[in-house]
Amino acid sequence: MSLVVQKYGGSSVADAESIKRVARRIVETKKAGNEVVVAVSAMGDTTDELLDLAREVSPLPPPRELDMLLTAGERMSMALLAMAIADLGFSVRSFTGSQAGVITDTAHGKAKIIDVTPGRITDQIGKGRIVIVAGFQGVSRETKEITTLGRGGSDTTAVALAAALGADVCEIYTDVDGVFTADPRIVPAARKLDHITAEEMLELAASGSKVLHLRSVEYARRFNIPIHVRSSFSHKDGTLVTDQAPEGQSVEAPIIAGVAHDRSEAKVTVVGVPDRAGMAAAIFAAIADAEINIDMIVQNVSANETGLTDISFTLPKSEGPNAMQALSRIQDEVGFASLRYDDQIGKLSLVGAGMKSNPGVSATFFKALAAADINVEMISTSEIRISIITRDDRLDDALRAVHTAFGLDAAEEAVVYGGTGR
Amino acid sequence: MSLVVQKYGGSSVADAESIKRVARRIVETKKAGNEVVVAVSAMGDTTDELLDLAREVSPLPPPRELDMLLTAGERMSMALLAMAIADLGFSVRSFTGSQAGVITDTAHGKAKIIDVTPGRITDQIGKGRIVIVAGFQGVSRETKEITTLGRGGSDTTAVALAAALGADVCEIYTDVDGVFTADPRIVPAARKLDHITAEEMLELAASGSKVLHLRSVEYARRFNIPIHVRSSFSHKDGTLVTDQAPEGQSVEAPIIAGVAHDRSEAKVTVVGVPDRAGMAAAIFAAIADAEINIDMIVQNVSANETGLTDISFTLPKSEGPNAMQALSRIQDEVGFASLRYDDQIGKLSLVGAGMKSNPGVSATFFKALAAADINVEMISTSEIRISIITRDDRLDDALRAVHTAFGLDAAEEAVVYGGTGR
């Protein structure tokens, strides 16, 4: 008998009919002889609707109260899902994050899970019951306040439960068939991957792939939990995310896992920075003090004898105004000339564990971009990833060119289901 | 400095604008130098909408899961109300019934409060904060499960909090100006009462008056909590419900407090019951075994020498099918001829503490009904109440006739606000 943890996203439980469909799926898994624990997101657009309501009442709601409000969303979906399962004749209990023992830090709106104490869940499993847990939420050990884990947090709930319960697999149900070599909405020739390493999945998630929440992949990797990403709309196998490639497959593992893209970043350029020691440090200290995470950095060599240089970096668009304000405050101190802000950029990332041992990947990559007439503005790399920044409106062409150049194109086009994936 | 507990019903917090209005009202009370604790219902029709959703998913949802679902309603309204108060610059915390220490028995959907342990509330009051508590909900001491108190339960939450905190007054805000001598929608000449005794309020609530939840009045009476029923749409004084009439007022206290009506009952008649000892007992034992509460009972004297009699009783319409089923099962055993079911009845109740010491009340009552050509089908009385059953479509005329006969008519017509109260 296996213990399976499943996670269903908001689009999988958007209305009564969808909830009943998911209930049947859960019951099938139970009938097949498994113990089943399910993490569920709020129905459809509930979270956005609650956020809208909060904004109508207050422009800047207290984070504690916002978490109180938002956690009502999964409370509804978990109870409804439990009802639908009970209606199929199966014994079931639903639990909030707090009841399920999902213990977090105190950072309202972006809390991190620090422990899971699943006593009530294991009790119910012992009684042969299916257990439904509200995703996205927990309770602070320190303040006993209700917290939320931030967007996509239900993935992390599922993986954390799987780790705490010693589950055999964590199945993440979504509205696509699995992890693709690229977003099929942009690259119709994208192929579904049967397998991807956790390391590669981490790089893809960090590079803009929305299939899995970054933190959930980190968590799965740390606790060695296999994730199976699959569609709640079909019974096909999806993509297995594990630390090691499945046996017998490593030999023929492809060099490249996929191509990710990200349109959520902007570029800030600090123009005319005196080319002296400590100037870059002062700039990035100001950014760090404002608690802004930056991504890629480029410092131009001094072009002439003025002794001035330009420093560019990318950051989430949502942090743009903060960053510009923080930098303006140190303009006199650092003595730079001006600031430029550009939110018309796009990022493309090529990810593959095979890069490590395959020279020539960069050459193929940049040749493909050049042939497609893509202007590369910034570059950054890790051991298994190359990322570039280009113009926003050239990103789709760049994705297709790179996908083709690395032989990732499928013979047939992928099936794309409706919805947004969460 | 006084401690004031306030309760706002669903119609008072139906949308963002209403919530902001209620927030201003709470802040006014705080500014006037009071400590304020607020019990709040779910927004507008939220509870009904959640019930609809539950029925779409399952015809007979497990009561535990239904309570999980429904309690999401007050979680939303309490968080939004807290946000609106914070936006006015006041420090505030919201708590679920469980967090607020509202301890109940395990009867999902109709739980009774058995204790209130308001430690978290008093902590926050000590810090000078306004506290918002989700009405209608609690947590079972025995099973640690979330429970709901049944329709109108938020009134009881407010009174129970007031008792546990030793509040000076419990203000119940609704969409009418207070307790009226009759429902102003039926009797336009109805007058608002400045004061009513808890004993009279109990009889009115038990007789169909919807202004206060019956159990909340019982609770207030037991713990001697003064209730002030008032409108959240005006600043006028409402109706004070206390154990004793306010000083100096008892002398001129009116004989009659008001006239209540109830259209939620049906009448069952067991026809042709053998007039022998034990037959009535068998009938009411069957009803009791089916856990059906009955209200009024009439047994006709045997009309002739057949030795047969008819037994009629009233019960909530919702229990009608159950009762008919339970009685059918004992037909052979008891040997009655047939069953009749009538849901076209209405109940009128005249309530007043002054009845005890004023003979002639019944005479005036029945004379008024006769003059208005109202056919009385059943009668029951208590020390301070007379109730009759008549035809549903004659009930409004009966109410107006009795109201006028006891001199309750106001000079001006009452102002009726929209909404359904709670």
Side-chain angles (χ1 to χ4, degrees):
Chain A
M1 188 155 65
S2 294
L3 174 56
V4 178
V5 173
Q6 300 185 330
K7 178 258 174 176
Y8 292 92
S11 60
S12 299
V13 292
D15 52 31
E17 275 318 304
S18 310
I19 288 172
K20 288 198 230 176
R21 193 172 44 74
V22 165
R24 286 191 294 272
R25 181 135 204 164
I26 292 167
V27 162
E28 276 170 31
T29 312
K30 176 76 178 166
K31 273 186 186 163
N34 302 291
E35 301 295 3
V36 192
V37 175
V38 176
V40 65
S41 303
M43 294 169 71
D45 300 323
T46 306
T47 303
D48 287 332
E49 287 163 13
L50 290 175
L51 278 172
D52 286 346
L53 209 46
R55 271 189 287 259
E56 277 182 61
V57 163
S58 165
L60 209 73
R64 176 203 186 267
E65 301 297 340
L66 198 56
D67 278 358
M68 274 289 190
L69 179 71
L70 295 183
T71 48
E74 295 83 36
R75 191 182 193 87
M76 292 187 266
S77 55
M78 76 178 199
L80 289 166
L81 186 52
M83 289 174 196
I85 290 170
D87 197 47
L88 296 172
F90 282 73
S91 193
V92 58
R93 285 287 182 282
S94 73
F95 293 111
T96 64
S98 171
Q99 291 176 329
V102 178
I103 314 289
T104 73
D105 60 21
T106 59
H108 285 291
K110 51 179 179 186
K112 284 211 174 81
I113 297 177
I114 53 178
D115 197 7
V116 179
T117 53
R120 288 180 83 165
I121 299 179
T122 47
D123 278 0
Q124 297 299 329
I125 294 176
K127 291 178 180 159
R129 288 187 176 130
I130 296 169
V131 175
I132 313 293
V133 177
F136 177 69
Q137 54 178 252
V139 61
S140 151
R141 171 173 288 159
E142 205 178 312
T143 61
K144 310 285 175 227
E145 299 287 4
I146 302 302
T147 54
T148 64
L149 311 177
R151 284 279 156 163
S154 295
D155 289 357
T156 310
T157 301
V159 174
L161 288 174
L165 296 166
D168 297 277
V169 66
C170 180
E171 298 182 338
I172 305 278
Y173 284 89
T174 177
D175 52 8
V176 291
D177 279 337
V179 181
F180 279 73
T181 50
D183 185 334
R185 282 166 293 199
I186 298 175
V187 184
R191 276 188 302 114
K192 194 204 77 185
L193 296 164
D194 292 331
H195 177 261
I196 186 170
T197 67
E199 189 187 22
E200 289 168 324
M201 193 65 233
L202 258 185
E203 290 280 7
L204 282 179
S207 302
S209 163
K210 303 253 182 340
V211 182
L212 282 178
H213 190 224
L214 176 61
R215 224 187 289 158
S216 71
V217 186
E218 287 172 350
Y219 212 106
R221 197 181 176 204
R222 180 144 51 103
F223 290 94
N224 201 13
I225 302 295
I227 296 181
H228 187 181
V229 182
R230 56 196 306 194
S231 168
S232 67
F233 296 87
S234 86
H235 277 78
K236 283 186 262 187
D237 277 344
T239 303
L240 206 60
V241 185
T242 58
D243 228 24
Q244 300 293 325
E247 257 181 70
Q249 205 181 302
S250 50
V251 187
E252 43 177 335
I255 296 169
I256 299 302
V259 193
H261 72 282
D262 192 349
R263 282 192 161 89
S264 71
E265 297 195 346
K267 182 170 74 168
V268 171
T269 304
V270 190
V271 181
V273 181
D275 198 1
R276 287 196 313 271
M279 291 300 103
I283 286 168
F284 293 114
I287 294 295
D289 287 349
E291 295 193 359
I292 296 164
N293 287 319
I294 61 174
D295 181 17
M296 296 164 72
I297 302 175
V298 170
Q299 177 166 3
N300 298 343
V301 246
S302 295
N304 48 37
E305 283 162 17
T306 57
L308 296 177
T309 183
D310 294 349
I311 296 178
S312 295
F313 60 89
T314 63
L315 78 181
K317 278 178 188 164
S318 56
E319 297 288 3
N322 285 345
M324 295 300 277
Q325 212 167 23
L327 292 173
S328 296
R329 275 198 294 268
I330 59 161
Q331 179 160 15
D332 290 346
E333 177 198 330
V334 173
F336 61 80
S338 63
L339 291 172
R340 253 188 259 141
Y341 185 73
D342 177 1
D343 61 1
Q344 306 294 308
I345 63 166
K347 186 168 79 164
L348 180 157
S349 300
L350 184 72
V351 172
M355 273 186 208
K356 292 181 198 173
S357 47
N358 280 276
V361 167
S362 321
T364 308
F365 180 65
F366 287 107
K367 211 169 105 182
L369 290 172
D373 204 19
I374 307 296
N375 190 30
V376 174
E377 303 183 14
M378 297 170 90
I379 301 171
S380 82
T381 59
S382 80
E383 266 208 316
I384 65 163
R385 176 184 53 80
I386 315 176
S387 301
I388 60 118
I389 295 292
T390 184
R391 286 296 93 196
D392 185 14
D393 58 9
R394 298 294 295 138
L395 187 59
D396 291 1
D397 284 344
L399 279 164
R400 287 185 284 258
V402 171
H403 198 266
T404 303
F406 281 93
L408 298 171
D409 289 1
E412 285 175 51
E413 291 197 359
V415 179
V416 182
Y417 303 94
T420 58
R422 191 75 22 111
Chain B
M1 190 154 63
S2 294
L3 174 56
V4 178
V5 172
Q6 300 184 330
K7 178 260 173 173
Y8 293 92
S11 59
S12 300
V13 292
D15 52 29
E17 274 317 303
S18 310
I19 288 172
K20 288 198 230 178
R21 190 172 46 73
V22 165
R24 286 192 293 273
R25 181 134 203 166
I26 293 167
V27 162
E28 276 170 31
T29 311
K30 176 76 177 165
K31 272 187 186 163
N34 302 291
E35 302 295 3
V36 191
V37 174
V38 176
V40 65
S41 303
M43 295 169 70
D45 300 322
T46 306
T47 303
D48 287 332
E49 286 163 14
L50 290 175
L51 278 172
D52 287 346
L53 209 46
R55 272 189 285 260
E56 277 182 61
V57 164
S58 166
L60 209 74
R64 176 201 185 268
E65 301 298 339
L66 198 56
D67 278 359
M68 273 289 188
L69 179 71
L70 295 183
T71 47
E74 295 82 37
R75 192 181 191 87
M76 293 188 266
S77 56
M78 79 179 196
L80 289 165
L81 185 52
M83 290 175 196
I85 290 170
D87 197 48
L88 297 172
F90 282 71
S91 194
V92 59
R93 286 287 182 282
S94 73
F95 292 110
T96 63
S98 171
Q99 291 176 330
V102 179
I103 313 291
T104 73
D105 60 20
T106 59
H108 285 291
K110 50 181 178 183
K112 284 212 175 82
I113 297 177
I114 53 179
D115 196 10
V116 179
T117 54
R120 287 180 83 166
I121 299 179
T122 46
D123 279 359
Q124 297 299 329
I125 293 175
K127 291 176 180 161
R129 289 187 175 129
I130 295 168
V131 175
I132 313 294
V133 177
F136 177 70
Q137 52 176 254
V139 61
S140 150
R141 170 172 289 159
E142 205 178 311
T143 60
K144 309 287 176 225
E145 299 287 5
I146 302 302
T147 54
T148 64
L149 311 178
R151 285 277 156 166
S154 296
D155 289 357
T156 310
T157 301
V159 174
L161 288 173
L165 296 166
D168 296 278
V169 66
C170 180
E171 298 181 338
I172 305 279
Y173 284 89
T174 178
D175 51 8
V176 292
D177 279 336
V179 181
F180 280 73
T181 50
D183 186 335
R185 281 164 295 197
I186 298 175
V187 184
R191 276 187 303 111
K192 195 204 75 185
L193 296 164
D194 293 330
H195 177 261
I196 186 170
T197 67
E199 189 187 21
E200 289 168 324
M201 193 65 234
L202 259 185
E203 291 280 8
L204 283 179
S207 303
S209 162
K210 301 254 183 336
V211 182
L212 282 179
H213 189 223
L214 177 62
R215 224 186 292 157
S216 71
V217 186
E218 288 172 350
Y219 212 106
R221 196 180 178 205
R222 179 145 51 103
F223 290 96
N224 201 13
I225 302 294
I227 295 181
H228 187 180
V229 182
R230 55 197 306 196
S231 168
S232 69
F233 294 87
S234 85
H235 277 79
K236 283 185 261 185
D237 276 344
T239 302
L240 206 59
V241 185
T242 58
D243 229 25
Q244 299 295 326
E247 258 183 71
Q249 205 181 299
S250 50
V251 187
E252 42 177 336
I255 296 169
I256 299 302
V259 193
H261 72 282
D262 192 349
R263 283 193 162 88
S264 71
E265 297 194 347
K267 182 171 73 168
V268 171
T269 304
V270 189
V271 181
V273 181
D275 200 1
R276 290 197 310 271
M279 291 300 102
I283 286 169
F284 293 115
I287 294 295
D289 287 347
E291 296 194 359
I292 295 164
N293 287 319
I294 61 174
D295 181 18
M296 294 164 72
I297 302 175
V298 170
Q299 176 165 5
N300 300 340
V301 244
S302 294
N304 49 36
E305 282 162 18
T306 58
L308 296 177
T309 181
D310 294 348
I311 297 180
S312 296
F313 59 89
T314 64
L315 77 180
K317 279 178 188 166
S318 55
E319 298 287 3
N322 284 346
M324 295 299 277
Q325 212 166 21
L327 291 174
S328 295
R329 275 198 293 269
I330 59 162
Q331 180 159 16
D332 291 345
E333 177 196 332
V334 174
F336 60 80
S338 63
L339 291 172
R340 251 186 260 140
Y341 184 74
D342 176 1
D343 60 2
Q344 305 294 308
I345 62 166
K347 185 169 82 165
L348 180 156
S349 301
L350 184 72
V351 172
M355 274 186 207
K356 293 182 198 174
S357 47
N358 281 272
V361 167
S362 321
T364 308
F365 179 66
F366 288 106
K367 210 170 105 184
L369 290 172
D373 204 20
I374 307 295
N375 190 30
V376 174
E377 303 182 15
M378 297 170 88
I379 302 171
S380 83
T381 58
S382 81
E383 265 208 315
I384 65 164
R385 175 183 54 80
I386 313 176
S387 301
I388 61 117
I389 296 291
T390 184
R391 286 295 94 196
D392 185 15
D393 58 9
R394 298 294 294 138
L395 188 59
D396 292 0
D397 284 344
L399 279 165
R400 287 185 284 260
V402 171
H403 198 266
T404 303
F406 281 93
L408 298 172
D409 290 0
E412 285 174 51
E413 289 197 1
V415 180
V416 182
Y417 303 93
T420 58
R422 183 65 36 98

